[in-house]
Amino acid sequence: GLDAHEHDPYQALAIDTQANGGFVVAGHTFDTGGGGRRAAIARFGADGNYIGETFHDGLGANATFRSVRVVDGASARIVVAGDSGPDGNYMLVQAFGSTLQPESGFGNCLAANSGFCLIVGTGLGDAGPDQGVSIALDAGGRALFQGHGVVSSGDLPNVLTARFTNASGPRRDLIFRNGVN
């Protein structure tokens, strides 16, 4: 179920588990014409049975998810990190709910403001290529994102690290529910 077409391979780049034994896989596939990458995320039950999937074009197309974290055991919130853009010039952090629909109001860009679009330069994108590499959650429920990118053509890559945190309490299942700071 993860391939858009038989000839368009799905590339699984990240996996995380749920407390109930289920798991989430993230990566990318290609659009129906085979021309552009689409970020992909899929859920499986503890028995390995397929539950569902969703695809995302990112910002400016050419999207992929490179890291995934299940925030709580029931997968009420799943946070992914990746990148997109015509030249790979945006890094993404995006939240999905248990049905793998983008979580409205999580960030300030993407579908229903469900994500954050990050760059190493200024303005509305940088030269790229940018790559959102990982997202981690600590015991305090704070998410830490790491990626790298190029501000201007010919420059060496810069590292970008951003922390997103909830405003109250250390419980991982409450992360982001009271906004970010």
Side-chain angles (χ1 to χ4, degrees):
L2 294 178
D3 292 344
H5 290 313
E6 187 175 319
H7 65 277
D8 293 333
Y10 176 87
Q11 187 172 15
L13 300 172
I15 190 169
D16 200 13
T17 58
Q18 298 172 241
N20 66 6
F23 58 97
V24 180
V25 177
H28 67 257
T29 187
F30 291 88
D31 62 24
T32 54
R37 273 188 335 203
R38 298 188 78 200
I41 185 170
R43 283 188 62 190
F44 297 86
D47 57 4
N49 284 332
Y50 168 82
I51 293 174
E53 66 191 355
T54 191
F55 303 104
H56 199 291
D57 291 327
L59 186 64
N62 201 31
T64 191
F65 294 141
R66 298 181 188 281
S67 185
V68 62
R69 291 294 176 260
V70 176
V71 177
D72 60 353
S75 296
R77 177 172 284 148
I78 299 164
V79 181
V80 294
D83 47 79
S84 72
D87 295 316
N89 55 349
Y90 295 98
M91 291 173 275
L92 310 173
V93 174
Q94 189 172 15
F96 292 90
S98 61
T99 61
L100 299 181
Q101 292 304 307
E103 188 171 319
S104 179
F106 170 78
N108 60 5
C109 75
L110 302 173
N113 286 334
S114 60
F116 292 94
C117 299
L118 308 164
I119 60 172
V120 295
T122 59
L124 300 174
D126 52 44
D130 289 358
Q131 191 172 84
V133 179
S134 63
I135 190 100
L137 300 176
D138 69 13
R142 295 172 298 188
L144 185 62
F145 165 80
Q146 188 274 320
H148 53 84
V150 176
V151 176
S152 300
S153 295
D155 285 351
L156 294 173
N158 291 290
V159 171
L160 173 68
T161 301
R163 183 184 301 275
F164 301 89
T165 184
N166 63 322
S168 62
R171 289 179 45 201
R172 290 169 69 111
D173 64 341
L174 294 180
I175 189 170
F176 304 124
R177 291 205 183 148
N178 296 307
V180 295
N181 58 20

PDB file of all heavy atoms in Angstrom, residues 112-128:
ATOM      1  N   ALA A 112      -3.356  23.888   6.673  1.00  0.00           N
ATOM      2  CA  ALA A 112      -4.033  24.260   7.919  1.00  0.00           C
ATOM      3  C   ALA A 112      -3.031  24.671   9.010  1.00  0.00           C
ATOM      4  O   ALA A 112      -3.272  24.461  10.187  1.00  0.00           O
ATOM      5  CB  ALA A 112      -4.916  23.123   8.407  1.00  0.00           C
ATOM      6  N   ASN A 113      -1.912  25.286   8.609  1.00  0.00           N
ATOM      7  CA  ASN A 113      -0.870  25.670   9.567  1.00  0.00           C
ATOM      8  C   ASN A 113      -0.447  24.495  10.439  1.00  0.00           C
ATOM      9  O   ASN A 113      -0.269  24.607  11.649  1.00  0.00           O
ATOM     10  CB  ASN A 113      -1.312  26.857  10.427  1.00  0.00           C
ATOM     11  CG  ASN A 113      -1.288  28.152   9.659  1.00  0.00           C
ATOM     12  OD1 ASN A 113      -0.539  28.298   8.696  1.00  0.00           O
ATOM     13  ND2 ASN A 113      -2.113  29.093  10.066  1.00  0.00           N
ATOM     14  N   SER A 114      -0.256  23.349   9.814  1.00  0.00           N
ATOM     15  CA  SER A 114       0.088  22.124  10.531  1.00  0.00           C
ATOM     16  C   SER A 114       1.589  21.931  10.719  1.00  0.00           C
ATOM     17  O   SER A 114       2.013  20.944  11.302  1.00  0.00           O
ATOM     18  CB  SER A 114      -0.475  20.913   9.791  1.00  0.00           C
ATOM     19  OG  SER A 114       0.074  20.843   8.485  1.00  0.00           O
ATOM     20  N   GLY A 115       2.402  22.849  10.227  1.00  0.00           N
ATOM     21  CA  GLY A 115       3.839  22.650  10.317  1.00  0.00           C
ATOM     22  C   GLY A 115       4.611  23.940  10.420  1.00  0.00           C
ATOM     23  O   GLY A 115       4.053  25.038  10.411  1.00  0.00           O
ATOM     24  N   PHE A 116       5.903  23.782  10.542  1.00  0.00           N
ATOM     25  CA  PHE A 116       6.842  24.888  10.522  1.00  0.00           C
ATOM     26  C   PHE A 116       7.757  24.683   9.325  1.00  0.00           C
ATOM     27  O   PHE A 116       8.230  23.581   9.078  1.00  0.00           O
ATOM     28  CB  PHE A 116       7.692  24.918  11.802  1.00  0.00           C
ATOM     29  CG  PHE A 116       6.901  25.256  13.028  1.00  0.00           C
ATOM     30  CD1 PHE A 116       6.380  24.244  13.818  1.00  0.00           C
ATOM     31  CD2 PHE A 116       6.678  26.573  13.388  1.00  0.00           C
ATOM     32  CE1 PHE A 116       5.637  24.543  14.945  1.00  0.00           C
ATOM     33  CE2 PHE A 116       5.941  26.878  14.515  1.00  0.00           C
ATOM     34  CZ  PHE A 116       5.418  25.861  15.293  1.00  0.00           C
ATOM     35  N   CYS A 117       7.984  25.749   8.561  1.00  0.00           N
ATOM     36  CA  CYS A 117       8.894  25.712   7.417  1.00  0.00           C
ATOM     37  C   CYS A 117      10.133  26.506   7.819  1.00  0.00           C
ATOM     38  O   CYS A 117      10.036  27.684   8.156  1.00  0.00           O
ATOM     39  CB  CYS A 117       8.235  26.322   6.190  1.00  0.00           C
ATOM     40  SG  CYS A 117       6.756  25.420   5.690  1.00  0.00           S
ATOM     41  N   LEU A 118      11.280  25.870   7.811  1.00  0.00           N
ATOM     42  CA  LEU A 118      12.508  26.463   8.324  1.00  0.00           C
ATOM     43  C   LEU A 118      13.544  26.566   7.212  1.00  0.00           C
ATOM     44  O   LEU A 118      13.627  25.698   6.346  1.00  0.00           O
ATOM     45  CB  LEU A 118      13.064  25.586   9.453  1.00  0.00           C
ATOM     46  CG  LEU A 118      12.073  25.238  10.559  1.00  0.00           C
ATOM     47  CD1 LEU A 118      12.584  24.078  11.387  1.00  0.00           C
ATOM     48  CD2 LEU A 118      11.806  26.445  11.425  1.00  0.00           C
ATOM     49  N   ILE A 119      14.353  27.624   7.268  1.00  0.00           N
ATOM     50  CA  ILE A 119      15.444  27.806   6.315  1.00  0.00           C
ATOM     51  C   ILE A 119      16.674  28.287   7.075  1.00  0.00           C
ATOM     52  O   ILE A 119      16.565  28.771   8.207  1.00  0.00           O
ATOM     53  CB  ILE A 119      15.087  28.802   5.191  1.00  0.00           C
ATOM     54  CG1 ILE A 119      14.748  30.181   5.778  1.00  0.00           C
ATOM     55  CG2 ILE A 119      13.946  28.273   4.344  1.00  0.00           C
ATOM     56  CD1 ILE A 119      14.571  31.265   4.750  1.00  0.00           C
ATOM     57  N   VAL A 120      17.839  28.181   6.479  1.00  0.00           N
ATOM     58  CA  VAL A 120      19.056  28.674   7.117  1.00  0.00           C
ATOM     59  C   VAL A 120      19.363  30.110   6.715  1.00  0.00           C
ATOM     60  O   VAL A 120      20.193  30.758   7.326  1.00  0.00           O
ATOM     61  CB  VAL A 120      20.277  27.770   6.825  1.00  0.00           C
ATOM     62  CG1 VAL A 120      20.093  26.411   7.445  1.00  0.00           C
ATOM     63  CG2 VAL A 120      20.557  27.678   5.338  1.00  0.00           C
ATOM     64  N   GLY A 121      18.668  30.632   5.712  1.00  0.00           N
ATOM     65  CA  GLY A 121      18.868  32.003   5.268  1.00  0.00           C
ATOM     66  C   GLY A 121      17.771  32.900   5.787  1.00  0.00           C
ATOM     67  O   GLY A 121      17.167  32.646   6.824  1.00  0.00           O
ATOM     68  N   THR A 122      17.498  33.961   5.058  1.00  0.00           N
ATOM     69  CA  THR A 122      16.416  34.873   5.406  1.00  0.00           C
ATOM     70  C   THR A 122      15.470  34.958   4.220  1.00  0.00           C
ATOM     71  O   THR A 122      15.808  34.574   3.106  1.00  0.00           O
ATOM     72  CB  THR A 122      16.955  36.277   5.733  1.00  0.00           C
ATOM     73  OG1 THR A 122      17.663  36.770   4.592  1.00  0.00           O
ATOM     74  CG2 THR A 122      17.873  36.245   6.939  1.00  0.00           C
ATOM     75  N   GLY A 123      14.286  35.457   4.453  1.00  0.00           N
ATOM     76  CA  GLY A 123      13.321  35.618   3.374  1.00  0.00           C
ATOM     77  C   GLY A 123      12.450  34.395   3.195  1.00  0.00           C
ATOM     78  O   GLY A 123      12.120  33.708   4.154  1.00  0.00           O
ATOM     79  N   LEU A 124      12.087  34.095   1.963  1.00  0.00           N
ATOM     80  CA  LEU A 124      11.125  33.041   1.660  1.00  0.00           C
ATOM     81  C   LEU A 124      11.782  31.810   1.056  1.00  0.00           C
ATOM     82  O   LEU A 124      11.286  31.240   0.103  1.00  0.00           O
ATOM     83  CB  LEU A 124      10.036  33.576   0.728  1.00  0.00           C
ATOM     84  CG  LEU A 124       9.227  34.737   1.289  1.00  0.00           C
ATOM     85  CD1 LEU A 124       8.280  35.279   0.237  1.00  0.00           C
ATOM     86  CD2 LEU A 124       8.479  34.308   2.536  1.00  0.00           C
ATOM     87  N   GLY A 125      12.873  31.395   1.583  1.00  0.00           N
ATOM     88  CA  GLY A 125      13.598  30.238   1.077  1.00  0.00           C
ATOM     89  C   GLY A 125      15.055  30.604   0.902  1.00  0.00           C
ATOM     90  O   GLY A 125      15.428  31.770   0.948  1.00  0.00           O
ATOM     91  N   ASP A 126      15.883  29.618   0.761  1.00  0.00           N
ATOM     92  CA  ASP A 126      17.295  29.886   0.539  1.00  0.00           C
ATOM     93  C   ASP A 126      17.761  29.079  -0.665  1.00  0.00           C
ATOM     94  O   ASP A 126      16.957  28.449  -1.350  1.00  0.00           O
ATOM     95  CB  ASP A 126      18.116  29.598   1.794  1.00  0.00           C
ATOM     96  CG  ASP A 126      17.852  28.217   2.368  1.00  0.00           C
ATOM     97  OD1 ASP A 126      17.790  27.252   1.593  1.00  0.00           O
ATOM     98  OD2 ASP A 126      17.706  28.107   3.592  1.00  0.00           O
ATOM     99  N   ALA A 127      19.051  29.083  -0.941  1.00  0.00           N
ATOM    100  CA  ALA A 127      19.562  28.462  -2.157  1.00  0.00           C
ATOM    101  C   ALA A 127      19.401  26.943  -2.135  1.00  0.00           C
ATOM    102  O   ALA A 127      19.244  26.319  -3.174  1.00  0.00           O
ATOM    103  CB  ALA A 127      21.029  28.823  -2.361  1.00  0.00           C
ATOM    104  N   GLY A 128      19.439  26.333  -0.930  1.00  0.00           N
ATOM    105  CA  GLY A 128      19.371  24.881  -0.846  1.00  0.00           C
ATOM    106  C   GLY A 128      20.645  24.255  -1.408  1.00  0.00           C
ATOM    107  O   GLY A 128      21.513  24.947  -1.931  1.00  0.00           O
TER     108      GLY A 128
END
